């Protein structure tokens, strides 16, 4: 396990940490079609609560946003408004790791021709 941890540290050295965010569909499931649906981000606090519940392996979690309270079924990928019963799909997305730009790194300018 220590070797795996070291390998992960070496693989991500100098890279931004991987961060997951949560999104919900703009339209309720019963009205959604492929042309009208947008994926909207959860508020940051709600997204962090969803991610923590996901990492703990929870199947569902109740979250409060500035407008409503939702029961989010993480495994099923849906949220339900606790007052209206309206359901929407949810999605977890990872941000991509990117290497930092290091102009002094060996080979960074290799292949460029000065005029």
């Amino acid at each position: 396990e220590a070797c795996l941890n070291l390998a992960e540290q070496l693989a991500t050295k100098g890279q931004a940490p991987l961060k997951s965010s949560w999104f919900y569909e703009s339209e309720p499931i019963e009205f959604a079609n492929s042309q009208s649906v947008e994926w909207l981000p959860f508020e940051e606090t709600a997204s962090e609560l969803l991610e923590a519940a996901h990492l703990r392996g929870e199947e569902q979690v109740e979250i409060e946003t500035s407008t409503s309270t939702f029961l989010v079924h993480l495994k099923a990928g849906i949220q339900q408004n606790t007052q209206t019963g309206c359901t929407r799909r949810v999605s977890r997305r990872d941000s991509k790791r990117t290497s930092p730009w290091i102009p002094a790194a060996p080979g960074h300018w290799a292949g460029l021709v000065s005029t």
Side-chain angles (χ1 to χ4, degrees):
E1 187 173 323
C3 289
L4 291 174
N5 289 338
L6 178 58
E8 174 66 17
Q9 289 174 6
L10 292 173
T12 60
K13 186 173 176 85
Q15 295 180 341
L18 188 63
K19 181 179 179 180
S20 297
S21 298
W22 287 80
F23 296 81
Y24 62 93
E25 281 188 318
S26 59
E27 299 293 328
I29 289 175
E30 55 271 13
F31 300 117
N33 68 47
S34 61
Q35 296 168 348
S36 67
V37 172
E38 291 182 71
W39 286 95
L40 305 171
F42 274 95
E43 295 172 359
E44 187 173 350
T45 303
S47 189
E48 289 170 356
L49 290 172
L50 289 167
E51 184 61 13
H54 169 76
L55 293 174
R56 288 191 301 269
E58 295 179 21
E59 292 197 21
Q60 64 184 28
V61 63
E62 187 172 285
I63 60 166
E64 291 184 37
T65 66
S66 60
T67 58
S68 300
T69 301
F70 299 96
L71 183 60
V72 181
H73 302 270
L74 300 170
K75 304 260 185 205
I78 59 169
Q79 72 174 19
Q80 183 175 29
N81 186 308
T82 58
Q83 292 180 341
T84 67
C86 178
T87 58
R88 299 172 195 262
R89 285 185 278 262
V90 298
S91 176
R92 177 181 181 260
R93 299 181 188 168
D94 293 332
S95 63
K96 294 180 181 172
R97 289 183 176 144
T98 57
S99 297
W101 184 63
I102 306 173
H108 182 82
W109 298 102
L112 292 179
V113 178
S114 176
T115 57

